[in-house]
């Protein structure tokens, strides 16, 4: 039992330790998913999500699943067989977009960039003369790189812009309306400081007019979901599924916590923590992986030193210091570490803790 109650410092790529307010909300008395009190909580959560997305989209809601289901919902609701879809790939999650889009029958044009590099908007826009969708990852969790979504939005033409904001939402600037994001999905377990389990989702009116009328997925059918939440806010609700009421309450509490601090202040806190971590790592003689100028403050990728056993270091951090950091992905699984300082962990205390532990483990 004592092992179960161990408090870990979750400094990996996600999940992060949640805000206390989000944890407290999970312990509140349970409400029914059609209870007026719960629907008020849901509506408040949707309002908060509009703020962190930077949108006025009325179809902004938390899907009852993790961010990966958000990815699936984004494609299954907007891709018909044969639709041309251009996808920028500079990491694992861009690759997953290609897989999901292909399963929906899309004719995928994949535009590759080296892992650790940002997406080149001009190259993506030139990849196909008239795609239905252009898709990209804003903050690539596998590599710690930020791409310029505003530049993609400026070049999208008639295409719908579909964006993965799982690691960016609540941590760095995100302006869905201003940047021209038509379809966006995210996750709760990173900079929003809430446990995993929901996918913040937003859809523009422009995209809604081009949706698949009867998508392959019943559970993720946004047309059916709209009768229960989002666009139906304040109206009679149509039952679709039993919403995870405790998770929605936790998200609403976490969003209130973030917005009470101020979204700009929260982003500045993430930026300060990330910069301090990256400076400290380089002062230890470690080399950062992501391209300078495009590094995420909330998720730092660092190269494992030569002759150092990556897994052994991560294991010692976990067993001795209760600190979790993540490995790299694919060919970088043993040569890169991913260190996340997100949500409440984006603070000076976390920077001091992880740098001190790494110095001890590495003998630097």
């Amino acid at each position: 039992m004592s092992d179960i109650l161990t408090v870990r410092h979750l400094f990996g790529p996600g999940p992060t330790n949640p805000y206390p307010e989000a944890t407290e909300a999970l312990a509140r008395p349970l409400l029914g998913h059609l209870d007026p009190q719960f629907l008020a909580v849901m509506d408040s959560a949707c309002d908060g999500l509009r703020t962190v997305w930077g949108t006025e989209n009325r179809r902004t809601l938390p899907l009852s699943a993790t961010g990966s289901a958000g990815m699936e919902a984004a494609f299954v609701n907007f891709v018909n067989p044969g639709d041309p879809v251009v996808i920028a790939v500079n990491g694992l999650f861009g690759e997953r977009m290609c897989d999901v889009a292909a399963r929906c029958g899309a004719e995928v044009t994949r535009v590759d960039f080296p892992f650790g590099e940002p997406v080149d908007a001009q190259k993506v826009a030139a990849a196909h003369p008239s795609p239905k969708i252009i898709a990209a990852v804003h903050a690539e969790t596998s590599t710690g790189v930020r791409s310029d979504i505003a530049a993609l939005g400026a070049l999208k033409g008639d295409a719908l812009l579909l964006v993965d904001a799982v690691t960016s939402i609540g941590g760095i600037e995100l302006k869905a309306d201003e940047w021209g994001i038509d379809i966006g999905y995210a996750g709760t377990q990173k900079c929003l400081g809430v446990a995993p389990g929901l996918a913040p989702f937003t859809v523009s009116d422009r995209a809604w007019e081009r949706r698949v009328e009867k998508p392959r997925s019943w559970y993720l059918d946004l047309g059916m979901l709209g009768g229960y939440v989002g666009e139906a806010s304040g109206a009679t609700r149509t039952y679709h599924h039993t919403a995870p009421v405790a998770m929605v309450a936790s998200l609403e509490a976490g969003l209130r916590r973030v917005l009470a601090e101020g979204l700009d202040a929260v982003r500045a806190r993430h930026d300060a923590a990330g910069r301090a971590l990256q400076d400290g790592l380089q002062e230890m003689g470690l080399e950062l992986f992501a391209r300078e100028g495009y590094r995420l403050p909330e998720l730092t990728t660092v190269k494992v030193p030569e002759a150092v056993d990556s897994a052994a270091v991560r294991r010692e951090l976990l067993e001795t210091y209760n600190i979790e950091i993540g490995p790299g992905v694919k060919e970088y699984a043993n040569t890169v570490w991913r260190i996340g300082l997100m949500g409440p962990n984006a603070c000076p205390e976390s920077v001091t803790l992880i740098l001190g532990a790494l110095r001890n483990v590495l003998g630097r």
Side-chain angles (χ1 to χ4, degrees):
M1 180 63 72
S2 60
D3 290 339
I4 296 174
L5 297 176
T6 296
V7 177
R8 302 289 198 195
H9 301 285
L10 300 180
F11 294 165
T16 188
N17 299 98
Y19 287 111
E21 293 87 346
T23 300
E24 180 276 331
L26 292 171
R28 294 176 191 168
L30 208 60
L31 296 169
H33 62 283
L34 293 174
D35 187 306
Q37 291 185 38
F38 169 69
L39 295 175
V41 171
M42 174 69 87
D43 290 346
S44 176
C46 292
D47 286 341
L49 288 177
R50 290 184 186 93
T51 300
V52 294
W53 269 110
T55 186
E56 297 295 325
N57 291 340
R58 52 196 186 106
R59 298 178 185 90
T60 301
L61 68 157
L63 298 183
S64 301
T66 61
S68 293
M71 179 189 294
E72 188 140 0
F75 286 101
V76 78
N77 280 279
F78 295 96
V79 174
N80 285 296
D83 282 344
V85 175
V86 173
I87 301 177
V89 177
N90 66 335
L92 175 66
F93 292 95
E95 291 182 338
R96 286 190 182 178
M97 280 185 166
C98 293
D99 187 4
V100 174
R103 290 172 186 237
C104 293
E107 293 183 2
V108 176
T109 299
R110 173 173 167 160
V111 187
D112 282 284
F113 303 91
F115 280 30
E117 293 289 322
V119 165
D120 182 330
Q122 293 281 353
K123 185 176 178 182
V124 175
H128 192 284
S130 56
K132 179 178 181 181
I133 290 172
I134 294 174
V137 178
H138 184 204
E140 180 50 79
T141 313
S142 65
T143 63
V145 172
R146 172 188 57 82
S147 290
D148 189 347
I149 298 301
L152 273 176
L155 297 172
K156 70 178 182 179
D158 190 53
L160 299 175
L161 180 58
L162 189 161
V163 172
D164 175 323
V166 170
T167 300
S168 59
I169 195 167
I172 58 176
E173 185 177 60
L174 178 61
K175 297 182 176 181
D177 288 354
E178 185 176 321
W179 295 351
I181 297 173
D182 294 292
I183 307 157
Y185 63 89
T188 51
Q189 71 274 19
K190 302 192 188 247
C191 297
L192 293 181
V194 178
L198 296 173
F201 201 92
T202 192
V203 181
S204 70
D205 288 342
R206 178 173 179 266
W208 191 249
E209 293 171 359
R210 307 187 198 181
R211 73 189 185 280
V212 177
E213 290 292 337
K214 194 170 183 179
R216 294 172 180 80
S217 173
W218 179 92
Y219 186 68
L220 297 174
D221 184 336
L222 293 174
M224 298 176 70
L225 287 170
Y228 173 65
V229 69
E231 63 181 298
S233 178
T236 301
R237 312 292 174 129
T238 304
Y239 169 72
H240 179 260
H241 68 283
T242 301
V245 291
M247 272 303 304
V248 174
S250 183
L251 172 61
E252 193 271 342
L255 287 167
R256 279 194 290 108
R257 161 65 179 79
V258 166
L259 298 179
E261 181 178 348
L263 193 52
D264 287 342
V266 171
R267 290 170 175 164
R269 175 162 55 78
H270 280 80
D271 185 68
R275 288 180 184 276
L277 172 63
Q278 290 165 16
D279 289 345
L281 291 169
Q282 291 178 100
E283 288 169 6
M284 291 168 57
L286 299 177
E287 185 180 353
L288 302 183
F289 176 74
R291 180 175 167 183
E292 186 174 1
Y294 295 90
R295 293 169 183 157
L296 296 173
E298 66 271 33
L299 182 61
T300 295
T301 45
V302 57
K303 295 181 181 179
V304 178
E306 296 260 344
V308 169
D309 185 331
S310 172
V313 169
R314 289 188 291 108
R315 183 168 56 251
E316 186 171 350
L317 287 172
L318 192 67
E319 294 176 353
T320 303
Y321 299 96
N322 280 322
I323 292 174
E324 176 186 276
I325 66 171
V329 300
K330 302 192 74 171
E331 63 263 40
Y332 301 102
N334 297 314
T335 58
V336 168
W337 291 317
R338 292 183 293 162
I339 306 175
L341 297 181
M342 297 179 278
N345 290 342
C347 64
E349 295 84 354
S350 297
V351 176
T352 301
L353 180 58
I354 182 59
L355 289 177
L358 270 175
R359 285 192 189 97
N360 289 343
V361 174
L362 295 175
R364 295 188 175 219

